[in-house]
Amino acid sequence: MATGVARADDVTLRLPAPTGPHHVGVTALHLVDEHRADPWPDEVGAPRHLVATVHYPSRDVRDRPVAPHLTPAVAAVLPHFHQPLPATGVAWGATLTHSRTDAPALPGRRPVVLYSPGLADPRALGTTTAEELASRGYVVVSVDHPGETMAVDVPGRPAPRLFALPGDPSTDPRLYRDVIATRLADTDLVLDRLERWAAGGNPDADGRALPADLGRSLDLRRVGLYGQGLGGTIAAEAMHEDTGRRVDAAANLEGFLDYHPERPGQDGELLPVARHGVDRPLLLLGTEGFQDDRYRRAWSAVLAHGCARQHVIADANHWALTDHAAVVPQLHAAGLVDDAGRDALVGPIDPAVSVPTVRRHVVSFFDRHLR
């Protein structure tokens, strides 16, 4: 796998700026569940480690460095996981976000939303929407799930953790169930550590100093979940299983709501959220290019129970719900991705339409149910 060395004529990609009234700060969290073994370990008996990014409104970003979009490890492998992204001709590690590292938090109590990415995708691919939410007064916690993410830099490790699932969840129904169970447990861990942080403790496993006032700003009486792809599956199912009612609303950005079928040609068993519905608000946000009979069957089942609503974005495809909405059209304009590649990833939709559309649906949904 070529990591590539940036050349002077490589394309540098740009992310759209958030449109809310607040500056955005960003920090990282390293979380460890000492009571749960990692299901995809690279060392026997290792506890479960998670790494998260926290975006939040900041009162002052002066003299704080701008955060990069991708770590070097993710930049090296992203085009190999998301073909037909080009491995050369792009300075994948040069893209900057609109967030400032460890900037002081803006005082005030803030609703909290957790983001889970698609299978193998890094949490960084949700930056555009996370920054938009933070600029509008939310604290956003985006979580990587090591072992099933293409690359994760875990503190204390000499090298990044790479994708390490023992098979392909899309063709192994049992593995797919195990991945879902793991992510649901990961979500519980994050919520537990946020409660510790809001109570005045330090949730970071390494005791790293966290931005001033950020812990006090967490209003855990107002919590939402959202995710794209498998992350959307987790957002919906985690809210269904949330008997302690820690979660108030969830948004599923085109995640399956059934298990993979045991045999080809069969329908998969519906997830509990689709079989029984939810008693709290659920948004189903999809794209015209990715919807098929499988989605329609499972999504129709949960919609029939009430408390859920659906919107499908025309002329878009699956990764238009991520930062690729802005990135892939730039590659297309530079001649690095052809029409078929663009359409397979994000569809022919103009990013001037797709980016604000996704932001508007997610922000308005949480504004309605968390404010």
Side-chain angles (χ1 to χ4, degrees):
M1 182 178 298
T3 58
V5 176
R7 301 175 303 177
D9 58 347
D10 281 350
V11 172
T12 297
L13 303 166
R14 290 176 172 79
L15 298 180
T19 64
H22 303 303
H23 298 297
V24 179
V26 65
T27 194
L29 285 178
H30 176 204
L31 308 177
V32 179
D33 188 345
E34 298 289 355
H35 304 292
R36 179 164 55 112
D38 193 308
W40 333 116
D42 54 0
E43 56 182 86
V44 177
R48 182 62 169 163
H49 288 249
L50 300 180
V51 183
T53 296
V54 185
H55 290 92
Y56 53 91
S58 173
R59 60 179 168 82
D60 183 6
V61 296
R62 290 174 296 179
D63 302 322
R64 302 288 178 166
V66 178
H69 184 216
L70 305 177
T71 66
V74 173
V77 300
L78 177 64
H80 303 277
F81 274 82
H82 279 198
Q83 296 177 1
L85 294 182
T88 59
V90 184
W92 284 109
T95 303
L96 298 177
T97 67
H98 300 275
S99 304
R100 299 298 185 104
T101 303
D102 291 333
L106 183 70
R109 302 279 283 171
R110 311 284 175 195
V112 178
V113 288
L114 276 60
Y115 174 74
S116 181
L119 180 67
D121 290 352
R123 67 193 189 275
L125 286 189
T127 296
T128 297
T129 300
E131 288 187 329
E132 181 71 11
L133 283 163
S135 77
R136 294 181 177 275
Y138 291 83
V139 175
V140 184
V141 183
S142 303
V143 184
D144 266 344
H145 304 273
E148 56 167 273
T149 301
M150 60 180 70
V152 185
D153 292 287
V154 180
R157 289 177 50 91
R161 278 201 68 182
L162 302 179
F163 188 86
L165 292 183
D168 181 354
S170 67
T171 58
D172 184 337
R174 180 172 294 180
L175 178 59
Y176 183 67
R177 288 174 180 264
D178 289 344
V179 169
I180 289 175
T182 297
R183 284 207 183 194
L184 291 172
D186 289 347
T187 302
D188 283 341
L189 173 65
V190 175
L191 290 170
D192 290 345
R193 294 299 185 266
L194 291 178
E195 290 175 352
R196 177 185 298 179
W197 197 3
N202 187 339
D204 190 82
D206 308 308
R208 192 177 70 84
L210 299 171
D213 297 324
L214 185 50
R216 286 194 292 270
S217 75
L218 303 176
D219 185 353
L220 298 182
R221 298 168 301 175
R222 298 180 289 167
V223 173
L225 306 176
Y226 75 113
Q228 189 265 348
L230 179 60
T233 303
I234 298 307
E237 185 61 26
M239 185 170 71
H240 172 78
E241 297 191 8
D242 173 40
T243 57
R245 303 193 72 84
R246 295 195 289 184
V247 178
D248 300 292
N252 172 5
L253 280 55
E254 207 154 61
F256 291 122
L257 292 180
D258 60 355
Y259 295 108
H260 292 323
E262 295 295 329
R263 294 181 179 84
Q266 293 182 333
D267 288 331
E269 178 188 357
L270 294 176
L271 282 159
V273 65
R275 291 202 306 272
H276 307 299
V278 288
D279 58 359
R280 282 157 279 177
L282 173 63
L283 171 65
L284 303 176
L285 184 60
T287 62
E288 186 178 41
F290 208 71
Q291 295 286 304
D292 59 15
D293 289 343
R294 178 178 178 182
Y295 273 100
R296 284 187 283 271
R297 168 180 170 262
W299 284 25
S300 294
V302 73
L303 287 166
H305 293 286
C307 284
R309 63 185 180 91
Q310 172 184 277
H311 184 84
V312 177
I313 303 172
D315 297 324
N317 213 331
H318 192 54
W319 280 278
L321 302 169
T322 73
D323 294 350
H324 282 346
V327 166
V328 171
Q330 294 174 57
L331 298 171
H332 179 258
L336 295 169
V337 169
D338 62 17
D339 290 356
R342 175 203 61 190
D343 293 353
L345 287 169
V346 301
I349 190 169
D350 189 323
V353 175
S354 60
V355 171
T357 297
V358 174
R359 285 174 162 180
R360 182 177 69 252
H361 279 289
V362 174
V363 171
S364 64
F365 174 75
F366 286 129
D367 278 352
R368 176 180 299 179
H369 300 295
L370 299 186
R371 294 189 186 279

